[in-house]
Amino acid sequence: MKRIKDLREYIDELDQLGDIKNVTREVDPYLEMAAVTRRGYDLHAPAPLFNNIRGAAKGMRAFGAPAAVSSMASQPAARVALSVGLPASASWLDIVECLTRSIKAEPIAPRIVETAPCKQHILHGDEASLDLFPIPYLHDGDGGPYCNTWGTIVARTPDGKWTNWSIARIQKLDAHRMTGLFMLPQHIAMVWEEWRKIGKPMPFALVQGCEPALPIVSSMPLGDYVNEGDYLGGHFGEPIEVVRCETIDLEVPASAEIVIEGHVSLDRDAEEGPFGEYPGYVVTDTSMQPVYHIECISYRDGAIWPFIPEGRPIDEYHTAVGVAMSAQTLSLLRDAELPITTVWSPLETANHWVFVTVPANWREQLPGVNSEAFCKKIAETIWNTKFGSICPIIYVLDDDIDPSNPHDYLWAVATRCHPTKRHVIDYGPILPLLACYTDEERHAHTGERIVHDCLQLAPEAGRQPHSSFRGAYPKEIQDRVLKYWDQ
């Protein structure tokens, strides 16, 4: 496994693959920079590196689509694969399996280093201004520019026992203040509540432009009180280097391009939103949220600010959450001793669907269990997690289907999912950002969820074979056709 240790090395790797587009003309951070990136998602274009941004301090750069679908049709998962240490040729399901294995790896705590390139410029007080940086206004209708869509928030509980690295959206209020979502059961909200209980503002650090595995792992729904830094060290088999902050008692990844330090208010005293969210729609609701008060900013020469204009699939929310949630789900289902081949949340569905595939011999491994009970157990295992609220629709399929291939899963859902039968409906917590629910359900944070039993009959009961090239012809005929195909 090859660890890419900072954002610049990662950009160089992508550039060698032809997956970077250097944008040298002047671009406006108000909508234009995001629009270029959004158009790139639609075309599966190389990731744009913006080198000339109106209003930003000289030398500042921005990087769009850092972990989107690659521009190389034969290697669509290349950006995420390279980020987590795999070859560019790895598939989405290879990445899921790799991250799943790392959940069981021995955690390795980060290692503190004396200094890092992010200490080249250190600003305090009024000089610590967000106005220096190319912070993008992402969607027409947003409540303002958004300072965080691909950076990691570092926070620690008051007792010092849990250091959380996570991603949550953060909106710029002015040069020295930001606000963002704090919603339970998000870990950032859990840590903030601990500080509220003792009546002290929560120290925070927001890091932009770290080594590429960090945002992927910051998206993972790891268990409560699990340190992402320890998981990432275990994943790579070596400690992640961290450096101490300037004004607060926290350490941040030493690979950072930019570090923003300060404290979060005790009260919800700023309006946050609207914002174009991952289901593909602008969420017009606003809410009162805490304020991040900035006290210090440090950064590298020619700092690079990564960003993602979330929206209709496929962008980084879908790729990162797709692999992260699938890996955690696969691990939990296997821990429950259920026979599972893989788990995948299709990127094209904005992560509203989850596919679970199982081996043909699952009945032998679960004697006396029918398919409805099996599917119900799978769904309950998923729904009884902190991320179960973002999994409203689950399909259980045989593993003759590749759930990462739309040609496979659309055919399977259409032909194996009964229009009105063979499903289990449950009522429980939902994420209010999910686009498929009513206003009443979103405001109540509860709604119906469903698991579809798409499993085929047992082989002895007359399962239908595929009428496809691989399924309808003897191997000798297949081999002959392939041998003479070019003729």
Side-chain angles (χ1 to χ4, degrees), residues 276-283 310-313 317-318 349-352 431-436:
E277 267 289 354
Y278 78 92
Y281 306 92
V282 174
V283 177
E310 286 182 30
R312 183 170 168 171
Y317 184 96
H318 312 109
T349 71
N351 305 118
H352 283 48
L431 184 72
L433 297 177
L434 293 175
C436 53

Side-chain angles (χ1 to χ4, degrees), residues 148 151-155 164-168 187-188 206 217-219 228:
N148 196 50
T152 292
I153 307 162
V154 178
N164 178 239
W165 293 356
S166 64
I167 294 182
H187 285 162
I188 184 67
L206 172 61
V217 172
S218 298
S219 304
E228 286 77 9

Side-chain angles (χ1 to χ4, degrees), residues 33-106:
M33 201 160 68
V36 170
T37 304
R38 229 13 300 178
R39 177 65 170 154
Y41 291 140
D42 295 343
L43 299 177
H44 295 168
L49 180 61
F50 299 96
N51 297 284
N52 184 2
I53 304 164
R54 186 177 304 163
K58 185 177 180 180
M60 297 294 179
R61 295 174 286 170
F63 182 41
V69 173
S70 162
S71 62
M72 299 169 290
S74 63
Q75 299 178 341
R79 294 182 202 172
V80 179
L82 290 172
S83 295
V84 300
L86 294 176
S89 57
S91 71
W92 296 113
L93 299 184
D94 291 336
I95 299 168
V96 170
E97 194 66 47
C98 175
L99 294 177
T100 301
R101 288 194 300 270
S102 293
I103 292 171
K104 303 301 182 186
E106 186 68 28

Side-chain angles (χ1 to χ4, degrees), residues 146-440:
Y146 267 77
C147 301
N148 196 50
T149 50
W150 198 239
T152 292
I153 307 162
V154 178
R156 181 179 291 148
T157 51
D159 61 11
K161 294 181 179 179
W162 181 26
T163 301
N164 178 239
W165 293 356
S166 64
I167 294 182
R169 75 190 202 202
I170 298 179
Q171 178 185 338
K172 177 183 176 182
L173 295 174
D174 55 40
H176 305 289
R177 297 183 309 140
M178 310 178 292
T179 187
L181 291 184
F182 284 73
M183 294 194 310
L184 293 172
Q186 284 182 324
H187 285 162
I188 184 67
M190 291 175 61
V191 177
W192 179 66
E193 290 289 353
E194 290 295 313
W195 286 93
R196 283 191 74 193
K197 288 176 185 177
I198 64 172
K200 293 183 178 181
M202 182 186 81
F204 81 91
L206 172 61
V207 294
Q208 297 289 353
C210 288
E211 61 182 277
L214 185 64
I216 308 297
V217 172
S218 298
S219 304
M220 286 189 75
L222 296 176
D224 297 347
Y225 308 105
V226 174
N227 294 339
E228 286 77 9
D230 296 0
Y231 167 88
L232 195 55
H235 173 75
F236 284 117
E238 62 183 35
I240 305 303
E241 298 80 9
V242 294
V243 66
R244 289 187 174 90
C245 288
E246 294 294 310
T247 60
I248 53 176
D249 185 22
L250 287 173
E251 300 82 41
V252 296
S255 59
E257 293 277 325
I258 302 158
V259 180
I260 301 168
E261 306 175 17
H263 289 81
V264 178
S265 64
L266 292 171
D267 300 314
R268 298 179 182 268
D269 40 19
E271 185 177 34
E272 193 273 342
F275 183 68
E277 267 289 354
Y278 78 92
Y281 306 92
V282 174
V283 177
T284 56
D285 291 347
T286 63
S287 61
M288 298 304 291
Q289 297 293 342
V291 173
Y292 294 85
H293 293 277
I294 299 168
E295 294 152 18
C296 178
I297 299 177
S298 59
Y299 61 94
R300 296 185 66 169
D301 287 334
I304 303 171
W305 190 289
F307 70 95
I308 61 170
E310 286 182 30
R312 183 170 168 171
I314 301 170
D315 60 44
E316 280 75 9
Y317 184 96
H318 312 109
T319 59
V321 171
V323 299
M325 183 178 69
S326 298
Q328 188 71 9
T329 303
L330 181 57
S331 178
L332 290 171
L333 291 173
R334 288 176 176 171
D335 285 348
E337 299 184 345
L338 297 173
I340 305 297
T341 303
T342 195
V343 174
W344 182 241
S345 179
L347 311 181
E348 298 82 3
T349 71
N351 305 118
H352 283 48
W353 293 4
V354 175
F355 285 131
V356 179
T357 65
V358 305
N361 68 344
W362 68 264
R363 292 171 180 84
E364 299 171 21
Q365 299 184 56
L366 297 174
V369 176
N370 63 27
S371 64
E372 179 182 346
F374 184 26
C375 294
K376 185 177 180 181
K377 178 62 175 176
I378 288 170
E380 287 175 344
T381 303
I382 296 172
W383 287 333
N384 291 331
T385 64
K386 70 180 288 289
F387 59 89
S389 61
I390 64 172
C391 303
I393 304 170
I394 301 169
Y395 294 92
V396 182
L397 294 160
D398 295 273
D399 65 5
D400 62 326
I401 297 301
D402 177 355
S404 68
N405 183 342
H407 295 288
D408 257 20
Y409 73 66
L410 287 174
W411 173 66
V413 167
T415 59
R416 301 182 187 182
C417 181
H418 191 280
T420 61
K421 301 174 183 177
R422 299 184 68 206
H423 61 256
V424 177
I425 296 175
D426 175 77
Y427 190 79
I430 63 166
L431 184 72
L433 297 177
L434 293 175
C436 53
Y437 288 104
T438 66
D439 288 342
E440 292 78 13

